[in-house]
Amino acid sequence: MPSAEILTIGTELLLGEIVDTNSRYIARRLRDAGIDLYRTTTVGDNAARIAQAVREALDRADIVITTGGLGPTVDDPTRKAIADAVGVPLEFRPELWKAIQERFAQYGRQPTENNRRQAFIPQGARVIPNPVGTAPAFAVETPDGVVISLPGVPREMEYLFTHEVLPYLQRRFDLRGVILARVLHTAGMPESALDEQIGDLERLSNPTVGLLAHPGQVDIRITAKAESEEAAQAMIAEVEAELRRRLGTRIYGVDGDTLEGAVAALLQAHGQTFSALEAGLGGELLRRVGKVAGFLGGEMEATPLDEAALLAKARNCCRLRQASWALGVSLFAAEGANRALVALARPEGDEVREFHFGGPPQMAPNWATNMALTLLRRRLLTLEETHDRENH
């Protein structure tokens, strides 16, 4: 399988003025096509540094994909930088200038002279037509690999990658394999404890298994390379089955599943409902559960509540809404020492738990919400286990 690197170009990226979404999109499409991505790099609008980055990438990878710097202004240096990197001059393409003029004419406008710069591309480059923008894209084939330069505007880049670049790469490298990934979501188990249980699987070479920690939950990513999608799916399924055997109900969902969705499914299975009360979370809990099936509404306090007040308000919330459960969360956020109280109130009895979390305060509302939903999910699973025992 060929290897690739992505080079995003733009000083605005380095200054944090815009967020790079192009790399994420390209990375996923490369993965699905069976192309290994080993590195992404960001370079400002400097022709010499771009050229150096391209040369270095060609030393390591078969495919170098750049985005950005193809506009008409002086600070759009990608065309010149690519030409310098591969040792050829820029050349004017009349057909590109004609296409640019026609594109402007569609909007009843005339291109300015600096738009003519966009008709210059590295000598011998393959033109990638751009029907959704004015910046021509191109591919330069060298003995070391291919450099593909795409616009930085996400809408243009995505269209060109899907309709032009991917088919070209499939032909150019005779791509037959695929890389597929599946993500299992776990809750209620810290990353270190999870690693102890599945560390041997993390050392597999294909499929690979990796962990990604989030506030209050950890994802397990399984990635497989194979000659066909069916073969990759079978490899993933085998590892997933082993993970489920070891972790059981710690796994609450896959891929796009959410923790609140997992709670909703259990509530629905038991014909139950819940309400919520949050204090000091800034609306995070109510936002997450607002559209969940079985949610009967809730209340929000701006400042944290102590245990007695939290439990009292949770009981009241449960009673007023005639809910099966009321979930109350009170967050005390402080740099490096966040604390949350979680109350579960129901007619059959109440419970209050305390949780601690290090991280920055801005992450604390999400963490507290995940811990609260995890506790409610555990109690619902206990109900399910009790029900199963009684039926047997």
Side-chain angles (χ1 to χ4, degrees):
M1 292 183 181
S3 61
E5 293 196 16
I6 299 171
L7 180 64
T8 56
I9 296 166
T11 301
E12 67 276 13
L13 292 169
L14 292 178
L15 296 177
E17 293 173 356
I18 65 172
V19 176
D20 171 26
T21 59
N22 287 344
S23 291
R24 183 174 186 266
Y25 177 86
I26 296 171
R28 291 196 169 190
R29 299 306 304 272
L30 291 175
R31 179 198 69 188
D32 294 343
I35 299 172
D36 289 317
L37 177 64
Y38 289 145
R39 186 179 306 219
T40 62
T41 306
T42 301
V43 183
D45 296 310
N46 179 284
R49 285 193 285 272
I50 295 169
Q52 180 182 354
V54 169
R55 285 191 290 266
E56 291 173 355
L58 280 172
D59 285 341
R60 296 183 295 255
D62 306 300
I63 303 163
V64 180
I65 300 173
T66 76
T67 68
L70 296 179
T73 64
V74 173
D75 64 347
D76 285 309
T78 299
R79 289 178 292 272
K80 178 66 165 60
I82 301 299
D84 291 346
V86 300
V88 300
L90 288 173
E91 65 178 0
F92 179 71
R93 298 285 184 92
E95 71 275 18
L96 287 182
W97 179 227
K98 182 180 178 182
I100 291 169
Q101 291 173 308
E102 291 173 349
R103 184 73 178 167
F104 273 85
Q106 291 177 6
Y107 299 103
R109 297 164 52 200
Q110 288 288 330
T112 58
E113 186 59 27
N114 62 359
N115 287 114
R116 196 170 183 272
R117 293 190 185 117
Q118 295 176 292
F120 285 84
I121 61 175
Q123 187 179 67
R126 173 194 179 97
V127 174
I128 300 175
N130 183 0
V132 293
T134 61
F138 56 86
V140 182
E141 296 189 357
T142 79
D144 296 320
V146 59
V147 182
I148 300 170
S149 291
L150 300 174
V153 179
R155 180 181 66 89
E156 294 183 38
M157 182 280 299
E158 291 174 12
Y159 180 91
L160 294 179
F161 193 90
T162 299
H163 293 88
E164 299 289 341
V165 175
L166 200 52
Y168 163 74
L169 291 176
Q170 288 168 334
R171 295 190 302 269
R172 171 73 169 74
F173 292 95
D174 192 25
L175 298 177
R176 300 179 186 276
V178 297
I179 301 177
L180 295 183
R182 187 168 176 82
V183 178
L184 307 184
H185 305 298
T186 74
M189 194 174 194
E191 184 182 19
S192 56
L194 194 59
D195 180 71
E196 284 189 354
Q197 289 212 19
I198 68 169
D200 59 316
L201 299 179
E202 293 174 64
R203 290 188 283 273
L204 295 174
S205 59
N206 188 28
T208 60
V209 176
L211 301 181
L212 178 60
H214 303 281
Q217 62 183 76
V218 182
D219 290 343
I220 306 171
R221 185 191 66 255
I222 312 168
T223 307
K225 300 179 186 179
E227 288 299 311
S228 68
E229 182 173 340
E230 293 75 13
Q233 293 284 17
M235 294 165 67
I236 289 173
E238 183 177 352
V239 175
E240 180 180 352
E242 178 61 19
L243 287 166
R244 289 185 178 277
R245 186 189 70 79
R246 297 188 192 186
L247 301 176
T249 58
R250 299 286 191 181
I251 298 172
Y252 72 78
V254 300
D255 295 334
D257 293 339
T258 63
L259 187 51
E260 52 268 30
V263 168
L266 288 169
L267 288 166
Q268 195 167 20
H270 294 288
Q272 299 199 338
T273 58
F274 82 109
S275 58
L277 163 73
E278 65 163 77
L281 277 78
E284 177 71 11
L285 174 62
L286 296 182
R287 181 188 65 79
R288 291 268 299 274
V289 302
K291 295 182 180 180
V292 163
F295 178 61
L296 300 181
E299 302 171 14
M300 183 172 69
E301 299 276 346
T303 57
L305 299 172
D306 62 25
E307 180 176 330
L310 178 67
L311 187 54
K313 286 182 176 289
R315 287 170 179 160
N316 191 52
C317 196
C318 186
R319 186 183 71 256
L320 288 177
R321 290 173 171 77
Q322 296 184 325
S324 308
W325 301 79
L327 179 63
V329 187
S330 180
L331 174 64
F332 301 82
E335 188 68 45
N338 303 293
R339 180 170 67 94
L341 297 173
V342 178
L344 282 178
R346 60 190 303 235
E348 293 84 355
D350 305 319
E351 176 183 0
V352 179
R353 295 284 303 277
E354 183 172 326
F355 300 94
H356 295 265
F357 172 69
Q362 59 267 29
M363 294 174 60
N366 186 30
W367 164 78
T369 297
N370 284 337
M371 298 307 293
L373 290 171
T374 297
L375 181 61
L376 176 55
R377 177 174 173 268
R378 283 179 181 172
R379 298 301 173 257
L380 290 167
L381 286 170
T382 300
L383 283 183
E384 196 167 69
E385 292 167 1
T386 302
H387 181 265
D388 290 343
R389 284 196 301 269
E390 289 173 352
N391 285 341
H392 288 82

